[in-house]
Amino acid sequence: MKLTYPSVLLLGVLLALPACPEQTAESPTPDFRNAFWGMTQEQVKSTESVTPAEIHQIGEEVIVKYDAPLEEGVPRRLIYIFAKDKLVRAKYIFDQEHEELNDFILDFRTAEPPLREKYGKPASEHAVWENDAFQLERLPYLDQDRALASDILPSDQYAGLSVSLGYLRLFSQWVTPRTRIVHALTGANSRITHQIEYRSSEFEALENTVLHQNTSGLR
């Protein structure tokens, strides 16, 4: 598989992602970048060298967004999510633009090897087909023959278009003692989102409670 220039840069970004957390009494490893789950918003801000680009608050949920450093040459956004002033989730969203939509499939596949190197074999991976338009096979066959994210290739005609329309979603997931990592390629309305999300296992219930309260308050 020949890598395009943006994909080579993306590979450099991914090799710098946090390693699988292994806590020791002498030198605990951060859960995400230089932060630990449960840190307050101010504590997390102190780990970053730049000012947040945006801060949004909905009830007891706060979303802090950064325009991540571009030394690697790949535009990306960095997002921290807090529930009751505790860090519960974080993610990278990559902002590459491609005229050839299948280049997003290449980006996803380029990201997989370094993630597998750091976290091992995924606990699960899926190619979720919602619509078989533009495909030679119908949904029952796609659900059987092309059910894994690794089954989808950059050479597959219209795969990128299917993602952009929400007809196809790609996911890989890893689970560590403290964190659930989800690598996803999704789309809607002709826009594609490529992201890697880190979620605290300990504080997932807290986040769900806060999200439920926010949703209830909007009714």
Side-chain angles (χ1 to χ4, degrees), residues 6 48 56 63 79 112 129 133 140 149 165 174 176 178 192 200 209 217:
E48 296 291 345
H56 297 289
I63 301 172
I79 298 176
E112 283 286 295
W129 292 94
L165 296 174
W174 292 262
T176 76
R178 291 176 55 84
I192 293 178
S200 165
T209 298

Side-chain angles (χ1 to χ4, degrees), residues 97-148:
E97 295 292 340
H98 297 301
E99 291 186 11
E100 173 51 62
L101 294 179
N102 272 25
D103 284 345
F104 288 101
I105 307 295
L106 177 58
D107 285 345
F108 183 88
R109 290 182 65 87
T110 301
E112 283 286 295
L115 286 168
R116 290 171 185 248
E117 181 178 347
K118 287 185 178 294
Y119 304 115
K121 182 180 178 181
S124 61
E125 63 163 317
H126 302 284
V128 181
W129 292 94
E130 302 290 352
N131 192 312
D132 57 18
F134 307 111
Q135 300 300 310
L136 296 177
E137 294 179 303
R138 302 283 66 88
L139 273 178
Y141 295 97
L142 293 171
D143 289 339
Q144 293 180 35
D145 301 339
R146 304 177 70 194
L148 301 179

